[in-house]
Amino acid sequence: MADLSQFTSLHVGGPAQNFIEVATEAEIIKALESVGDEPVLIIGGGTNMLVSDNGFAGTVIRISNNQVNEEVDACSGATLTIGAGENWDDFVASTIERGFAGLETLSGIPGTIGAAPIQNIGAYGHEVGEFITRVRTYDRHNKELKTFTNGECNFTYRNSIFKSEPGRYVVLDVGFQIRRGELSDPITYAELASKLGIQIGDRAPVKQVRATVLELRASKGMLLSASDKDSWSAGSFFTNPIVSNEIADQLPADAPRWPTGDGQVKTSAAWLIQQAGIEKGQMHGGAKVSTKHVLALTNSGNATAAEITELARIASAAVKAKFGIELQPEVNLVGITW
Ligand SMILES: Cc1cc2nc3c(=O)[nH]c(=O)nc-3n(C[C@H](O)[C@H](O)[C@H](O)COP(=O)(O)OP(=O)(O)OC[C@H]3O[C@@H](n4cnc5c(N)ncnc54)[C@H](O)[C@@H]3O)c2cc1C
């Protein structure tokens, strides 16, 4: 029996009843057809999931297909179709090496291409949905291939149609449109602009933006490293809450506020957690709040999934008690009820 702790960045998770590794699209479809309507868990890099200590009572399919198809227009840009199992950051690095621009602020996010559209990964002012042309999937419900245009993906903050219908669509490959260029898109994230020594809205060399983003991520424990247990997390455990203007008005004056454009306000989960008294390095059994970032809950070495869940509940309850705001996990909980 495969032990799922070997396949997740939190290094927790019990056994899988069945475990299948698939490296081509034909193998993915064959595996899905063989399990029919039985429970299936798709795993890419395992960097955005917290799997129960009891494991998964069904079939885990680990996808590692990394086929690349591309059409490059020498003058303006490229349309690339990448297999779901390709490593996201290897893809970003390769586009930059080859003189393309756009994906640089999304450098250093761990995981696979196939998972990127699921929660519309984002960082430092950009989301992957801005660059996706289409997502080709296998629909487990209708048992057929289904391709989504960008508009049909319903990309919003850390969400998509794929996340709102969990387990239904298995991503086979993703199409991207990127432009040729040596300068980044305008930098909109204040911390990144400041570190680059430019004004918000200015551009910078793409390679410099990638290097700076990687530096910032490392300083926050958000760069995955097998040798650094402080990075054994699933990234941000909670999403940034989006609240009404009235609730935002009741927060202290120094609370971060980012208007979402639809009469609501996004605030910072990290800020709320810190103000609610949760400290960097705080332990609960083997679970530990990262020493660099309160939003990353980590495995200090021998944590159980139960301990990480309990630490998440402690943080969430503290925020609820102090601010009345319910934090929502960004991490996919497998076999764990929130
Ligand atoms: C240190 C660290 C930093 C991070 N920083 C960021 C960040 O800045 N921004 C951000 O958005 N995220 C971040 N994350 C979260 C994570 O990297 C992303 O969510 C990433 O896309 C997950 O990829 P994965 O292949 O590991 O997905 P997994 O963890 O394997 O799976 C995540 C979810 O997607 C589903 N899934 C995976 N592959 C497929 C597929 N082919 N078809 C259908 N469903 C699939 C799974 O079933 C699961 O529900 C971070 C994580 C870590 C550990």
Side-chain angles (χ1 to χ4, degrees):
M1 258 191 202
D3 180 0
L4 293 175
S5 64
Q6 293 171 30
F7 301 101
T8 62
S9 54
L10 275 166
H11 298 262
V12 296
Q17 192 176 309
N18 298 308
F19 187 87
I20 308 177
E21 291 249 19
V22 287
T24 65
E25 178 174 323
E27 285 176 12
I28 299 173
I29 293 171
K30 191 172 159 210
L32 290 168
E33 285 176 351
S34 75
V35 294
D37 294 327
E38 298 297 310
V40 167
L41 171 66
I42 305 292
I43 281 203
T47 67
N48 198 21
M49 53 173 72
L50 173 57
V51 181
S52 146
D53 299 311
N54 296 327
F56 185 70
T59 299
V60 174
I61 300 179
R62 184 157 184 260
I63 295 185
S64 57
N65 69 316
N66 60 357
Q67 289 82 4
V68 175
N69 298 320
E70 57 184 85
E71 270 177 45
V72 178
D73 171 341
C75 301
S76 56
T79 306
L80 306 167
T81 304
I82 316 292
E86 170 70 341
N87 178 279
W88 168 259
D89 193 50
D90 288 352
F91 167 61
V92 173
S94 78
T95 63
I96 292 172
E97 273 313 307
R98 295 170 57 208
F100 295 108
L103 302 178
E104 54 280 355
T105 64
L106 303 177
S107 292
I109 300 179
T112 56
I113 292 280
I118 307 292
Q119 72 154 7
N120 186 20
I121 57 168
Y124 297 102
H126 288 280
E127 293 177 339
V128 73
E130 296 164 45
F131 306 97
I132 288 178
T133 53
R134 56 153 201 70
V135 177
R136 207 161 60 85
T137 69
Y138 179 85
D139 176 356
R140 290 194 68 217
H141 189 268
N142 290 343
K143 304 194 175 19
E144 62 185 19
L145 296 178
K146 175 156 173 63
T147 297
F148 292 81
T149 62
N150 179 296
E152 291 168 336
C153 293
N154 295 347
F155 288 128
T156 52
Y157 167 66
R158 294 301 176 275
N159 211 348
S160 70
I161 190 167
F162 314 112
K163 188 153 184 177
S164 48
E165 291 194 56
R168 174 166 180 182
Y169 300 107
V170 178
V171 176
L172 302 172
D173 58 38
V174 181
F176 297 90
Q177 175 80 56
I178 45 176
R179 66 178 170 84
R180 199 169 272 289
E182 287 179 5
L183 285 183
S184 69
D185 285 339
I187 301 296
T188 56
Y189 200 89
E191 185 187 24
L192 178 58
S194 153
K195 185 102 179 152
L196 285 162
I198 61 174
Q199 300 295 315
I200 289 185
D202 287 351
R203 298 170 190 264
V206 169
K207 288 186 180 173
Q208 191 189 347
V209 174
R210 173 171 168 82
T212 307
V213 165
L214 292 177
E215 219 180 293
L216 279 171
R217 295 187 73 93
S219 71
K220 297 175 182 177
M222 285 290 178
L223 212 48
L224 198 54
S225 158
S227 59
D228 177 9
K229 294 196 178 77
D230 210 27
S231 78
W232 285 16
S233 74
S236 302
F237 198 94
F238 300 103
T239 51
N240 287 324
I242 295 176
V243 298
S244 64
N245 274 324
E246 295 72 49
I247 292 179
D249 285 347
Q250 290 161 20
L251 291 171
D254 57 340
R257 290 174 173 81
W258 302 289
T260 57
D262 58 357
Q264 301 192 92
V265 176
K266 195 199 289 180
T267 185
S268 159
W271 186 91
L272 294 171
I273 291 171
Q274 216 150 3
Q275 299 302 310
I278 304 295
E279 292 179 1
K280 291 176 186 166
Q282 184 170 327
M283 304 276 299
H284 179 77
K288 184 175 181 181
V289 179
S290 161
T291 64
K292 301 189 185 79
H293 200 311
V294 287
L295 206 43
L297 306 187
T298 70
N299 178 351
S300 68
N302 60 355
T304 60
E307 287 167 346
I308 295 169
T309 311
E310 283 156 17
L311 182 56
R313 287 193 204 292
I314 290 168
S316 164
V319 169
K320 173 84 178 157
K322 177 132 187 175
F323 298 108
I325 293 176
E326 295 268 4
L327 293 179
Q328 294 302 327
E330 176 176 321
V331 172
N332 295 278
L333 304 176
V334 179
I336 293 165
T337 313
W338 182 250

